[in-house]
């Protein structure tokens, strides 16, 4: 009989088991968070080396995204992500090679054939819908998908994600209003990282929580600890189950923090202190999950190093694959856009 780390654990409360997650699920959550972080870090390096033109990061959001992804039925439910959701789409099945192809703008990129900027995630087979660059446009679109699901009487659910800055846009209010009126099977996940580019939350809204806004639409507004993957999973899972039962939409606010600039073209030193950033780095969601897994004897130093080495191999492979891929044909930019150009 094989003895696992968990077998030798003390009577420490295993939060993941109480949520119905196996030990393998808990480790898979950690792996997806770690892999997303290592991919993200490599993408920053590639930008700083002028190998790629632009990168927008999801560092710090891994717990919120992986927890939410675990609440969905992969390839069955729908996801309408926003530009920071690399950990979400990675957990739903998009591969590191596909993500690197998008970063380099190479042929074979799955979202648009490399005609969009990176981070416009989509995958037809996985029911992941690409977003537009203007923020919050995915919110009413997700409500529309949910309306179609209800019309077709399937048991699918839509998850759409956005930052707290998006909740000041008209699209947010229209999407929630529509979903509320028709009791649509959609979960609105706000990943509140406390800054809409350079504007802090206190200057974006006059209420303390995004979740408070749900009251105006007659739907539940629930706050999750966005730096705790298990807590985010619990809250989104409950919202998904509620939607699947036909009880309508839920607004979930995952409170987290963005410890890196808004994008590769931003200098966050102009609008927040280094002390604030360092304080939040000590609350890092991956560090927190690792400490939890160590406390329940599912992870130790040797196994953690093994995970890190494997993540580096996967990232190396993805980068090399994208570097070796050809660029799209120039004329491809004119294909599948509207119609055929006249040859006259």
């Amino acid at each position: 009989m094989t003895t696992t780390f968990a077998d030798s654990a003390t009577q420490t409360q295993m939060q993941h088991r109480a949520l119905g997650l196996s030990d393998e699920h808990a480790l898979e959550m950690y792996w997806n968070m770690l892999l997303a972080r290592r991919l993200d870090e490599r993408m920053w390096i590639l930008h700083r080396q002028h190998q790629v033109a632009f990168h927008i990061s999801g560092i710090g959001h891994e717990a919120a995204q992986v927890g939410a992804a675990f609440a969905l039925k992969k390839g069955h439910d729908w996801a309408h992500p926003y530009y920071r959701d690399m950990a979400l789409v990675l957990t739903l099945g998009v591969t590191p090679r596909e993500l690197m192809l998008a970063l380099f703008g190479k042929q074979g990129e799955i979202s648009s054939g490399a005609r969009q900027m990176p981070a416009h995630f989509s995958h037809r087979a996985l029911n992941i819908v690409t977003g537009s660059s203007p923020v919050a446009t995915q919110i009413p679109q997700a409500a529309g998908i949910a309306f179609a699901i209800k019309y077709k009487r399937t048991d699918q659910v839509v998850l759409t994600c956005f930052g707290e800055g998006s909740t000041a846009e008209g699209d947010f209010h229209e999407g929630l209003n529509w979903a509320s009126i028709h009791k649509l099977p959609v979960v609105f996940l706000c990943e509140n990282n406390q800054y809409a580019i350079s504007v802090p939350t206190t200057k974006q809204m006059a209420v303390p929580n995004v979740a408070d806004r749900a009251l105006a639409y007659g739907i539940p507004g629930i706050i999750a600890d966005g730096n705790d993957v298990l807590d985010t999973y619990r809250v989104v899972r409950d919202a998904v189950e509620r939607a699947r039962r036909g009880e309508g939409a839920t607004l979930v606010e995952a409170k987290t923090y963005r410890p890196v600039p808004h994008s590769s073209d931003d200098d966050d030193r102009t609008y927040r202190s280094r002390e604030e950033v360092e304080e939040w780095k000590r609350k890092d969601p991956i560090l927190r999950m690792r400490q939890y897994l160590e406390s329940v004897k599912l992870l130790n130093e040797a196994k953690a190093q093994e995970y890190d080495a494997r993540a580096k191999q996967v990232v190396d492979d993805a980068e090399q694959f994208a570097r070796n891929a050809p660029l799209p044909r120039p004329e491809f930019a004119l294909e599948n856009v509207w119609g055929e150009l006249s040859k006259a």
Side-chain angles (χ1 to χ4, degrees):
M1 179 177 176
T2 303
T3 301
T4 66
F5 293 123
D7 293 332
S8 60
T10 61
Q11 296 303 312
T12 306
Q13 175 66 33
M14 289 195 174
Q15 185 185 352
H16 65 282
R17 289 187 183 175
L19 292 170
L21 296 167
S22 67
D23 294 349
E24 290 72 23
H25 286 145
L27 288 169
E28 189 181 344
M29 282 177 158
Y30 178 73
W31 164 251
N32 280 289
M33 293 168 68
L34 182 68
L35 180 58
R37 176 67 62 87
R38 296 296 177 253
L39 272 168
D40 212 314
E41 291 169 342
R42 181 67 59 84
M43 290 174 175
W44 275 107
I45 292 170
L46 291 168
H47 177 269
R48 294 306 192 240
Q49 293 175 338
H50 304 288
Q51 302 288 321
V52 299
F54 182 75
H55 175 54
I56 195 159
S57 175
I59 286 178
H61 290 230
E62 294 91 349
Q65 295 175 18
V66 173
F70 262 77
L72 297 178
K73 293 181 181 177
K74 299 176 186 178
H76 177 74
D77 292 324
W78 289 81
H80 209 326
Y82 86 129
Y83 48 75
R84 293 197 195 282
D85 280 342
M86 186 162 68
L88 177 91
V89 299
L90 191 66
T91 305
L92 291 176
V94 177
T95 69
R97 284 185 172 189
E98 290 168 335
L99 293 167
M100 276 292 185
L101 283 176
L103 185 74
F104 278 89
K106 291 296 187 71
Q107 185 173 308
E109 193 274 316
I110 58 169
S111 297
S112 66
R115 286 180 293 197
Q116 286 205 82
M117 294 175 70
H120 288 68
F121 309 109
S122 76
H123 198 297
R124 185 184 294 270
L126 298 173
N127 287 352
I128 299 173
V129 183
T130 190
S132 303
S133 292
V135 298
T137 50
Q138 71 275 19
I139 298 172
Q141 291 169 4
I145 295 170
F147 188 85
I149 289 171
K150 186 171 183 179
Y151 182 79
K152 294 180 177 179
R153 300 179 184 275
T154 74
D155 71 339
Q156 295 165 298
V157 171
V158 186
L159 171 77
T160 188
C161 309
F162 44 89
E164 80 286 353
S166 292
T167 67
E169 299 288 338
D171 294 87
F172 170 79
H173 302 283
E174 293 174 22
L176 266 67
N177 192 49
W178 178 257
S180 173
I181 291 170
H182 296 284
K183 287 193 131 183
L184 300 180
V186 56
V187 177
F188 300 103
L189 175 60
C190 175
E191 298 173 30
N192 184 352
N193 66 22
Q194 306 183 38
Y195 285 92
I197 305 184
S198 61
V199 181
T201 308
T202 53
K203 292 186 177 179
Q204 297 175 48
M205 56 189 193
V207 291
N209 307 300
V210 169
D212 296 342
R213 290 178 160 169
L215 180 64
Y217 304 102
I219 63 174
I222 313 294
I223 296 173
D225 183 341
N227 277 25
D228 183 342
V229 64
L230 297 176
D231 192 58
T232 306
Y233 166 75
R234 176 185 63 81
V235 172
V236 177
R237 179 202 61 183
D238 290 350
V240 166
E241 290 177 353
R242 180 174 178 275
R244 224 183 287 285
R245 290 194 301 267
E247 297 174 15
T250 302
L251 173 62
V252 175
E253 178 184 9
K255 289 185 179 294
T256 184
Y257 191 78
R258 164 171 60 79
V260 292
H262 167 72
S263 76
S264 55
D265 295 355
D266 173 42
D267 183 356
D268 65 321
R269 292 171 299 181
T270 61
Y271 56 82
R272 61 182 177 181
S273 70
R274 294 305 89 188
E275 290 76 16
E276 178 186 306
V277 174
E278 290 304 315
E279 180 184 347
W280 274 95
K281 284 183 177 178
R282 290 192 285 274
K283 304 173 185 175
D284 187 285
I286 296 176
L287 175 63
R288 191 165 165 179
M289 185 57 172
R290 174 173 172 171
Q291 289 171 340
Y292 168 75
L293 292 172
E294 289 175 345
S295 74
V296 296
K297 311 299 181 188
L298 285 175
L299 196 67
N300 59 15
E301 180 61 28
K303 195 166 183 177
Q305 289 186 14
E306 178 186 322
Y307 271 56
D308 232 337
R310 183 153 61 95
K312 182 178 183 301
Q313 288 177 351
V314 173
V315 174
D316 287 345
D317 170 79
E319 179 189 336
Q320 201 57 46
F321 178 81
R323 282 183 180 278
N324 294 335
L327 290 166
R329 295 174 288 107
E331 58 270 27
F332 180 68
L334 303 176
E335 296 175 3
N336 301 320
V337 178
W338 177 256
E340 293 296 325
L341 288 177
S342 169
K343 295 181 180 177

